[in-house]
Amino acid sequence: MADLLVSVLFSSYNGASRRLRHTLDSLVRQELPHDRWELIAVDNNSNDDTFDLLETYSDRLPITILQQRKPGKSGALNMALDQVKGDLIVFTDDDVRAEPNWLKAIVDCAAAHPSYGVFGGRIVPEWEKEPKDRFIEWIPMGSTFAIVDDTQSGPCDPTKVWGPNTIVRRELLGTSVRYREDIGPLPGKIFAMGEDAEIIIRLAANGAKSYRCAEAVVHHWIPASSVTEDWVQKRGERLGYGMPALFPDEVPGGVKLSGVPLPTWIESAQWACRAAMLYLMPRSKKRFWAIWKYYYMRGYRAGIRRYVSQTMTQ
């Protein structure tokens, strides 16, 4: 096994009230010796016992605990990045369960493929309640639940590397490459999804190559409350809201109405009409997607207003 040091990072907002303990227990069981890795956990403005819970693991994990009072996952991770010592930076979430060989597999993969700078492991669902509804087969599992269950290792598209199992060589980040703090989870409001994708896309644009490490596996917790058509459809609004931030060059040009390009208004109206016509019809994949796209376009319009320059060509 290569002599690479690993820094594992996550932020937690009210994790003690949810799945944080399960995440920490899975890290305790890691096969990689403690002198080969560190954990930097950020309590991101929690109002539960998150900080106290993290402290109870101080004698079982190589953990550094930080507190970030400003709400926002991206800012919390940037705080953690300023503290890292590892050669490999592993980004994860506070609601995963890592396989015992997770970190060892990451180190072995990075050592075996030195020309790659970004790695993504498998992310498999851990359902609170196994879904029986057929609509689960219709949804985009990656953008909805951050699931990437590709069992084949090898070079991959950077857009297929997702947050709960993202690995980056520290040298690529340096002291300046950080998360955009205007993207990512915020409590109590709509936010732009894609903070993890955005930083990887940026690295790829600078020449970093991505590799899928299928042997490195985490299980991502999915509560039963998230496995409904209504929840998934409304999540499309967050995805749409973030797209102009990630891909501003894909926003149409030309005439704008209320800050939104006319072609976007036309596409929005088309999906709104389809959703309205199908809303009272029996459940179907066609009906599901029409409603999902309605919410996506609503978020996309708001994202254009939020992220695309108002000096765009009229």
Side-chain angles (χ1 to χ4, degrees):
M1 184 170 59
D3 228 10
L4 293 170
L5 298 177
V6 178
S7 295
V8 180
L9 277 57
F10 71 75
S11 73
S12 184
Y13 169 68
N14 288 347
S17 306
R18 297 180 290 107
R19 300 287 297 179
L20 177 57
R21 185 180 299 277
H22 298 268
T23 299
L24 295 169
D25 286 342
S26 74
L27 294 176
V28 168
R29 294 190 288 269
Q30 289 301 298
E31 296 171 0
L32 194 68
H34 281 188
D35 63 351
R36 302 292 309 285
W37 67 284
E38 64 173 350
L39 171 63
I40 303 178
V42 186
D43 172 15
N44 185 205
N45 199 43
S46 299
N47 52 36
D48 67 354
D49 296 327
T50 292
F51 184 82
D52 293 338
L53 176 59
L54 290 168
E55 282 198 316
T56 66
Y57 283 80
S58 295
D59 60 345
R60 287 176 281 172
L61 287 170
I63 188 172
T64 297
I65 306 167
L66 305 177
Q67 285 187 295
Q68 167 66 284
R69 293 301 183 189
K70 179 182 177 182
K73 176 183 174 182
S74 296
L77 289 177
N78 284 341
M79 172 183 278
L81 279 171
D82 291 337
Q83 304 290 323
V84 296
K85 302 183 181 74
D87 305 297
L88 300 173
I89 313 301
V90 179
F91 300 97
T92 192
D93 287 340
D94 66 346
D95 58 355
V96 303
R97 177 175 59 84
E99 290 287 340
N101 72 331
W102 177 51
L103 294 181
K104 182 179 182 301
I106 287 171
V107 169
D108 290 346
C109 187
H113 303 283
S115 65
Y116 289 84
V118 174
F119 301 86
R122 283 177 66 199
I123 308 168
V124 299
E126 185 159 289
W127 308 100
E128 180 181 22
K129 183 179 180 181
E130 187 72 26
K132 305 295 184 183
D133 214 322
R134 61 182 179 176
F135 97 93
I136 205 70
E137 300 173 2
W138 306 337
I139 69 174
M141 294 294 285
S143 59
T144 303
F145 297 127
I147 301 302
V148 184
D149 195 10
D150 189 338
T151 59
Q152 298 297 314
S153 293
C156 69
D157 189 285
T159 61
K160 300 302 180 183
V161 177
W162 292 87
N165 205 353
T166 296
I167 303 96
V168 180
R169 293 190 190 272
R170 182 184 175 190
E171 64 199 52
L172 296 181
L173 299 174
T175 60
S176 61
V177 179
R178 295 294 185 264
Y179 282 90
R180 280 182 56 176
E181 297 189 14
D182 60 343
I183 306 176
L186 288 168
K189 61 178 71 174
I190 185 172
F191 59 82
M193 293 171 57
E195 75 286 348
D196 49 346
E198 191 278 333
I199 197 170
I200 298 303
I201 291 169
R202 218 181 328 145
L203 292 173
N206 289 329
K209 297 191 298 181
S210 301
Y211 192 92
R212 164 76 58 232
C213 181
E215 297 77 21
V217 182
V218 298
H219 302 256
H220 195 203
W221 174 254
I222 302 174
S225 59
S226 299
V227 190
T228 68
E229 285 194 41
D230 183 66
W231 188 93
V232 173
Q233 287 162 341
K234 290 179 179 177
R235 187 167 178 80
E237 186 171 4
R238 290 181 179 175
L239 180 64
Y241 189 58
M243 286 298 103
L246 270 63
F247 305 107
D249 293 341
E250 296 182 9
V251 175
V255 175
K256 293 188 294 183
L257 300 175
S258 300
V260 176
L262 184 58
T264 302
W265 278 117
I266 294 172
E267 185 177 1
S268 297
Q270 290 171 339
W271 283 111
C273 289
R274 292 180 197 178
M277 288 188 294
L278 292 169
Y279 184 75
L280 296 178
M281 300 294 288
R283 297 174 67 206
S284 68
K285 184 175 182 179
K286 187 176 181 180
R287 176 187 181 276
F288 171 84
W289 272 105
I291 297 172
W292 189 94
K293 283 290 290 188
Y294 162 76
Y295 281 108
Y296 175 90
M297 293 305 299
R298 187 164 80 173
Y300 191 67
R301 296 194 307 271
I304 290 174
R305 295 189 186 101
R306 170 70 174 84
Y307 293 105
V308 178
S309 172
Q310 296 303 307
T311 61
M312 214 173 135
T313 302
Q314 298 293 314

